[in-house]
Amino acid sequence: MNLKLLKAFVVLAEKGNYLQAALALSVTQPALTKQINLLESLLNTPLFIRGRHGSQLTMGGQRLLPEAIKVLKQADSFLQHAEQIAKGEEGRINIGFGLSSFYFAPQCIAKFRRLYPAIEVSLEDIPSTRQYDLLENGSLQVGFVRVPAKAPLYYQALFKDHLIMVTPADHGCTVETWLKRLPLLRLYNERGRGLNAQTDMYLQSAQLFPSSTQEAGDIQTLLALVIAGIGVAILPHSIMHIAPASINQISLTGRYVSWDVGIAWDDRYADLIRDNFIAMVGNTEASMPT
């Protein structure tokens, strides 16, 4: 069905006059007459009664007019959705984030939702090493990860994160003293592979050797164990926004205490929503907890 024919039908029904309807449609009166005649032929039913005072709907025309209006509204809605999709303003995006982006990634998501309310956003906490695989197979569109990312992934560095030690209280102890006094609390390797590797490189370069270690499944548990006096932990500074204000922090210096955090994506997949998100993140200042 040609939508132009339906629109001619609806406008003529509203105007009740061929001349006025033709002017509203920006067509000639003979052209409008041909459109109505063609529609009546396709439907095999008369739609209008032509009279001296204009055109009136037949009984069949009265029955079909509401459906024609409904179809035109649906077509307009379809075109609006298509335009939003073509501009990357409607759809879905799956995003991963890790420990160092606990603070920044949700800020970006909130901003993106304000700019693109019709886009559904999925945000999942996934270690960087796992995110790389998911980006390559298309399960994720963007990942907040440690960078640089290896080819074929593209990446953009955003900010630096660095290691700190958190302890139960400020007793004026050195990092070495704390490691001798209490166990070093760590994440299970499948959850914190990148952080554990960073910590090991730092400890080895600083010639620091923990007396013992204890593992947990998440950052909140590590912080709770530290507060309880069960151990100390070496964590990214960026997660301190979820730490109690009373927890003690010790700055670390030397090699391997910092790394770059950014976003990564696979440019082999065309995705305008992803591209809009990347552009927005690039214009977002990476404010970090103090």
Side-chain angles (χ1 to χ4, degrees):
M1 177 64 65
N2 190 322
L3 293 178
K4 285 185 178 181
L5 301 183
L6 288 183
K7 189 170 184 180
F9 170 40
V10 171
V11 173
L12 181 56
E14 292 173 348
K15 300 296 183 182
N17 180 280
Y18 269 86
L19 177 59
Q20 293 180 12
L23 290 172
L25 292 167
S26 299
V27 298
T28 65
Q29 190 170 337
L32 175 59
T33 300
K34 288 182 179 180
Q35 289 177 348
I36 296 300
N37 290 340
L38 177 57
L39 181 60
E40 289 178 328
S41 176
L42 289 172
L43 298 177
N44 196 30
T45 186
L47 299 173
F48 294 96
I49 302 173
R50 284 80 168 176
R52 184 180 303 174
H53 302 291
S55 299
Q56 294 183 333
L57 287 168
T58 63
M59 289 295 293
Q62 293 177 28
R63 297 284 298 271
L64 291 172
L65 180 60
E67 292 299 319
I69 293 173
K70 181 179 178 180
V71 169
L72 289 176
K73 287 182 177 179
Q74 290 174 334
D76 287 341
S77 177
F78 173 81
L79 292 175
Q80 290 174 4
H81 283 306
E83 183 180 7
Q84 285 186 302
I85 291 172
K87 293 179 179 178
E89 296 176 353
E90 184 176 324
R92 178 185 175 86
I93 184 170
N94 297 321
I95 301 170
F97 75 108
L99 295 176
S100 290
S101 50
F102 260 42
Y103 188 76
F104 183 60
Q107 290 180 324
C108 292
I109 300 305
K111 181 179 178 181
F112 190 69
R113 280 178 168 160
R114 290 193 297 269
L115 292 173
Y116 301 97
I119 293 178
E120 182 181 351
V121 181
S122 169
L123 182 65
E124 188 174 356
D125 178 11
I126 308 171
S128 291
T129 51
R130 176 61 179 152
Q131 285 192 58
Y132 299 143
D133 295 334
L134 297 176
L135 288 167
E136 287 193 47
N137 68 30
S139 299
L140 288 180
Q141 282 70 59
V142 179
F144 287 85
V145 295
R146 291 169 174 258
V147 295
K150 295 181 180 180
L153 299 180
Y154 286 68
Y155 71 91
Q156 178 181 344
L158 298 172
F159 59 88
K160 282 188 176 293
D161 202 358
H162 61 273
L163 296 174
I164 59 169
M165 174 176 277
V166 291
T167 67
D170 184 5
H171 295 314
C173 297
T174 64
V175 171
E176 184 177 10
T177 302
W178 276 117
L179 291 174
K180 290 180 178 178
R181 178 180 295 183
L182 293 175
L184 176 64
L185 305 174
R186 300 162 61 101
L187 291 172
Y188 292 117
N189 207 44
E190 59 269 22
R191 177 63 188 87
R193 187 181 306 275
L195 174 60
N196 289 346
Q198 191 82 36
T199 300
D200 290 340
M201 289 189 296
Y202 161 71
L203 292 173
Q204 184 175 2
S205 67
Q207 292 295 291
L208 295 171
F209 306 98
S211 58
S212 60
T213 60
Q214 184 174 329
E215 296 180 328
D218 55 68
I219 291 292
Q220 291 84 351
T221 301
L222 291 181
L223 292 172
L225 293 173
V226 170
I227 293 170
I230 294 174
V232 297
I234 295 177
L235 301 174
H237 176 260
S238 56
I239 60 89
M240 290 311 295
H241 71 288
I242 64 171
S246 60
I247 201 165
N248 184 51
Q249 304 180 40
I250 299 177
S251 298
L252 303 179
T253 59
R255 297 182 64 191
Y256 305 115
V257 297
S258 65
W259 60 95
D260 289 318
V261 179
I263 50 174
W265 65 95
D266 194 333
D267 208 42
R268 296 175 299 175
Y269 299 99
D271 192 324
L272 190 53
I273 295 175
R274 176 203 64 202
D275 295 342
N276 287 342
F277 182 81
I278 292 169
M280 184 218 70
V281 172
N283 293 320
T284 302
E285 184 177 355
S287 59
M288 301 300 293
T290 58

